[in-house]
Amino acid sequence: MRVDAHHHVWDLAVRDLPWTRGSPVLHRTYTADDLRPALLRNAIDATVVVQTCAVAQETAELLALAADDPHTRAVVGWADLTGPALADRLAALREGPGGRALVGLRHPVTDEADPDWLDRSEVRRGLRAAADAGLVHDLLVRPDQLPAAVRAVRELPEVRFVLDHAGNPVTDPDAFAVWAGHMAALAVCPNVAVKLSGLVTRTSGDPVRALRPFTDVLLSALGPRRLMYGSDWPVCLLAAGYDEVLALAETLTAGLGTEEREAVFGTTAARWYGIGV
């Protein structure tokens, strides 16, 4: 099974996404049908669609998509982690159309000014409640929020986490060393995996040369069985097309054995999100 563990869809006629307004590439509607030719061309069997905004209704819409779409096998949605009725909300989503596809939640921590937002007691309570419901939590953080993410992973061993976009690292040499230290800290925690996704838009020049150091750290620290490929389509289109992004990830992992490549491009995501179970 080949899995794209991270992509988005959105319909601007249904809901505006303010974060897309500054980009002609992103400020348009993208549907599962728009993505399908690339999936078929690259023999992608299943995808994980991920929330784009902190709006409860979007999660129900993504689950309805999963109920009808042959490729969308899992949904990482949004629900208010700090809300007192989180368990009831998750139960209602599970009972609705496509509810079985709900595998995880994500809150855009990057939108929170507080670098320690993940340390808040009400957030930790929500993370535990989601884990009790059998859900993974995708971490979307800025570099200054990575220490809090590491603490959450370390202090909540009962919660399964996935770090999106490898923590959004920057290419500055000093920042790279700090980021690598955070990856080493995560590596000792068996309850976290990392997405090899969303990095091509953070580079300039030769992407293989730019991203090789990051990929090498991830492979060395966590190993391929805790890494999963994600295209981050359509955000990736800011820098490269779907085929180019996949080819880049394949080039960066070309030194792996067959089973290790299968882990990065399928079995890690399938295992972590319960795809195919």
Side-chain angles (χ1 to χ4, degrees), residues 116 118-119 124 127-128 137 139 145-163 178-193 222 226 272:
D116 299 324
L118 286 162
D119 289 328
R124 294 288 185 91
L127 291 171
R128 292 188 183 95
H137 189 80
L139 289 163
Q145 295 168 329
L146 259 176
V150 172
R151 289 193 295 272
V153 170
R154 182 186 297 135
E155 294 168 15
L156 298 173
E158 70 274 29
V159 181
R160 290 179 300 140
F161 291 95
V162 175
L163 180 65
V178 174
W179 170 83
H182 293 317
M183 296 305 103
L186 289 177
V188 302
C189 302
N191 58 321
V192 64
L222 292 115
R226 289 171 65 190
W272 216 259

Side-chain angles (χ1 to χ4, degrees), residues 183-223:
M183 296 305 103
L186 289 177
V188 302
C189 302
N191 58 321
V192 64
V194 175
K195 285 184 181 176
L196 187 61
S197 64
L199 298 177
V200 68
T201 53
R202 308 184 67 83
T203 64
S204 59
D206 179 1
V208 173
R209 182 175 181 180
L211 296 182
R212 177 75 69 187
F214 295 96
T215 307
D216 287 350
V217 166
L218 293 170
L219 287 170
S220 175
L222 292 115

Side-chain angles (χ1 to χ4, degrees), residues 1-211:
M1 178 181 288
R2 279 176 46 104
V3 179
D4 181 343
H6 195 105
H7 76 89
H8 308 284
V9 296
W10 58 73
D11 186 344
L12 296 184
V14 173
R15 183 177 302 106
D16 187 31
L17 295 177
W19 60 270
T20 69
R21 289 177 189 162
S23 169
V25 173
L26 298 183
H27 197 60
R28 50 152 288 191
T29 293
Y30 286 96
T31 70
D33 287 338
D34 294 327
L35 177 59
R36 196 170 325 283
L39 300 178
L40 294 173
R41 201 164 52 242
N42 291 284
I44 302 296
D45 302 296
T47 72
V48 181
V49 65
V50 180
Q51 62 85 223
T52 65
C53 57
V55 175
Q57 184 56 34
E58 184 196 37
T59 302
E61 294 161 1
L62 295 177
L63 291 172
L65 168 66
D68 294 330
D69 184 72
H71 283 101
T72 307
R73 300 283 295 280
V75 173
V76 174
W78 181 87
D80 184 2
L81 288 175
T82 65
L86 178 60
D88 292 340
R89 173 61 182 163
L90 297 178
L93 287 169
R94 283 259 173 80
E95 292 170 1
R100 291 184 61 186
L102 183 64
V103 298
L105 296 179
R106 183 176 83 158
H107 180 82
V109 183
T110 48
D111 291 342
E112 303 290 345
D114 182 4
D116 299 324
W117 187 83
L118 286 162
D119 289 328
R120 297 183 181 186
S121 59
E122 64 271 25
V123 174
R124 294 288 185 91
R125 183 172 60 249
L127 291 171
R128 292 188 183 95
D132 288 343
L135 300 180
V136 176
H137 189 80
D138 271 34
L139 289 163
L140 178 63
V141 296
R142 303 185 306 264
D144 67 311
Q145 295 168 329
L146 259 176
V150 172
R151 289 193 295 272
V153 170
R154 182 186 297 135
E155 294 168 15
L156 298 173
E158 70 274 29
V159 181
R160 290 179 300 140
F161 291 95
V162 175
L163 180 65
D164 288 354
H165 312 328
N168 289 308
V170 296
T171 55
D172 173 81
D174 292 336
F176 176 83
V178 174
W179 170 83
H182 293 317
M183 296 305 103
L186 289 177
V188 302
C189 302
N191 58 321
V192 64
V194 175
K195 285 184 181 176
L196 187 61
S197 64
L199 298 177
V200 68
T201 53
R202 308 184 67 83
T203 64
S204 59
D206 179 1
V208 173
R209 182 175 181 180
L211 296 182

